[in-house]
């Protein structure tokens, strides 16, 4: 009898702790996540002057390590350059939207409800991080039709292709020098597939003309606020997982005891 009463008492304490977790600590973590992710989202925002009108530009020196074959200064206006940055920002904003839908007045009824929310937020954060850590694979015709060559002043010569991509906290520029394959060439034409970086000898067809990559140059530079964003993603994912772990401790109760 005493053992049964002790067990009931312990259960009552655990249930009260779980109720406090659902009603108080969960919302505290959600507020913390919102603050972190809003700061991350600001990193991707288009920089403006104090008046909010004139756009501030960021200049980055791109160069190769140890050589000066390709070197230049790139002007970055917000996130307009790379699709990866835009995609990452969209995923962050989607995570913020999910969190804001559960404001301080919302009452979570079960632990399962919290777990589902954390899974949805973590999915968006993982996708955002992956867009910065896993560069997209593109074919050479896709690069040729991307319009990136039109961004340069003066205009690039027709035998040059360029591609920008994000890799972690670095902005990378790849320059491809092309050689036109004449119809009379005896080379066996085999178009290259998708890749982050194409090697010399890669062939492709674009606009009824066949080309071969003769030389490849890669330059890069560190973008400090990209590193900040990656840190924010990591911290946020850790907070989500920690909350999931706390909820799971009470799994034997919340499966059938909503509040």
């Amino acid at each position: 009898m005493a053992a049964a009463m002790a067990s009931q008492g312990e259960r009552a304490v655990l249930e009260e702790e779980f109720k406090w977790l659902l009603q108080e600590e969960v919302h505290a973590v959600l507020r913390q996540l919102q603050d972190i992710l809003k700061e991350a989202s600001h990193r991707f925002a288009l920089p403006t002057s104090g008046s909010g009108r004139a756009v501030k530009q960021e200049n980055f020196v791109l160069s190769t390590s140890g050589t000066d074959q390709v070197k230049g200064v790139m002007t970055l206006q917000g996130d307009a350059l790379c699709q990866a940055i835009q995609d990452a920002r969209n995923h962050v904003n989607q995570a913020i939207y999910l969190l804001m839908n559960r404001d301080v007045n919302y009452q979570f009824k079960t632990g399962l409800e919290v777990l589902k929310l954390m899974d949805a937020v973590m999915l968006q954060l993982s996708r955002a991080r992956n867009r910065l850590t896993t560069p997209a694979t593109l074919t050479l015709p896709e690069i040729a039709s991307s319009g990136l060559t039109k961004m340069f002043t003066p205009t690039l010569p027709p035998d040059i292709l360029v591609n920008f991509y994000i890799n972690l906290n670095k902005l990378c520029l790849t320059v491809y020098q092309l050689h036109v394959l004449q119809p009379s060439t005896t080379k066996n034409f085999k178009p290259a597939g998708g890749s982050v970086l194409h090697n010399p000898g890669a062939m492709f067809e674009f606009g009824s003309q066949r080309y071969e990559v003769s030389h490849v140059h890669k330059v890069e530079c560190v973008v400090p606020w990209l590193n900040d964003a990656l840190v924010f993603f990591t911290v946020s994912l850790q907070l989500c997982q920690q909350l999931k772990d706390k909820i799971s401790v009470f799994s034997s109760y919340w499966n059938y005891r909503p509040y």
Side-chain angles (χ1 to χ4, degrees):
M1 181 63 126
M5 291 179 64
S7 177
Q8 290 177 0
E10 291 173 358
R11 186 180 186 87
V13 170
L14 287 173
E15 289 180 346
E16 283 301 313
E17 289 180 356
F18 183 51
K19 186 175 182 180
W20 176 86
L21 177 64
L22 285 182
Q23 296 178 353
E24 302 295 335
E25 186 168 355
V26 168
H27 282 292
V29 173
L30 297 190
R31 286 194 298 271
Q32 189 176 3
L33 283 169
Q34 284 188 50
D35 291 342
I36 294 173
L37 294 181
K38 285 178 181 178
E39 192 63 35
S41 181
H42 293 161
R43 293 296 192 274
F44 296 97
L46 188 68
T48 60
S49 66
S51 63
R53 295 179 180 177
V55 175
K56 289 184 179 178
Q57 299 176 338
E58 296 180 88
N59 294 324
F60 296 97
V61 177
L62 297 127
S63 62
T64 53
S65 57
T67 67
D68 287 326
Q69 288 181 315
V70 179
K71 189 174 183 179
V73 177
M74 183 204 69
T75 300
L76 178 63
Q77 294 184 344
D79 65 356
L81 182 63
C82 292
Q83 184 65 40
I85 300 179
Q86 296 176 18
D87 289 346
R89 182 185 61 179
N90 290 338
H91 288 305
V92 171
N93 289 340
Q94 182 61 30
I96 294 173
Y97 172 78
L98 291 170
L99 294 168
M100 292 183 68
N101 270 350
R102 300 292 186 267
D103 62 20
V104 67
N105 296 319
Y106 183 85
Q107 293 296 321
F108 288 95
K109 300 301 183 183
T110 65
L112 182 59
E113 189 180 4
V114 179
L115 294 184
K116 287 183 176 179
L117 175 60
M118 289 298 96
D119 286 341
V121 172
M122 292 177 75
L123 176 62
Q124 295 300 327
L125 294 179
S126 296
R127 287 175 174 173
R129 185 173 63 179
N130 289 342
R131 289 299 284 127
L132 300 183
T133 59
T134 309
T137 58
L138 297 174
T139 64
L140 288 164
E142 287 173 335
I143 295 173
S145 60
S146 67
L148 287 173
T149 55
K150 298 177 182 178
M151 298 172 57
F152 289 82
T153 304
T155 305
L156 294 176
D159 62 343
I160 295 293
L161 273 188
V162 296
N163 185 36
F164 285 101
Y165 62 90
I166 296 294
N167 186 12
L168 295 171
N169 64 335
K170 293 181 179 179
L171 177 63
C172 305
L173 166 64
T174 305
V175 180
Y176 298 101
Q177 289 182 255
L178 306 178
H179 169 69
V180 177
L181 291 175
Q182 300 300 328
S184 59
T185 182
T186 58
K187 285 189 175 182
N188 182 25
F189 180 76
K190 185 179 180 181
S195 178
V196 176
L197 180 66
H198 294 273
N199 295 319
M203 301 178 184
F204 71 103
E205 185 171 353
F206 184 72
S208 73
Q209 180 65 60
R210 291 180 172 181
Y211 300 90
E212 180 181 15
V213 175
S214 58
H215 296 86
V216 180
H217 306 282
K218 179 184 174 183
V219 291
E220 59 186 30
C221 68
V222 172
V223 181
W225 56 264
L226 282 176
N227 189 66
D228 295 342
L230 288 168
V231 171
F232 290 141
F233 295 161
T234 300
V235 171
S236 298
L237 285 166
Q238 289 173 346
L239 284 173
C240 291
Q241 187 59 53
Q242 288 169 3
L243 182 57
K244 287 183 63 177
D245 293 342
K246 289 181 180 179
I247 293 293
S248 297
V249 170
F250 296 91
S251 59
S252 61
Y253 302 100
W254 58 252
N255 278 337
Y256 52 85
R257 279 186 177 270
Y259 289 97

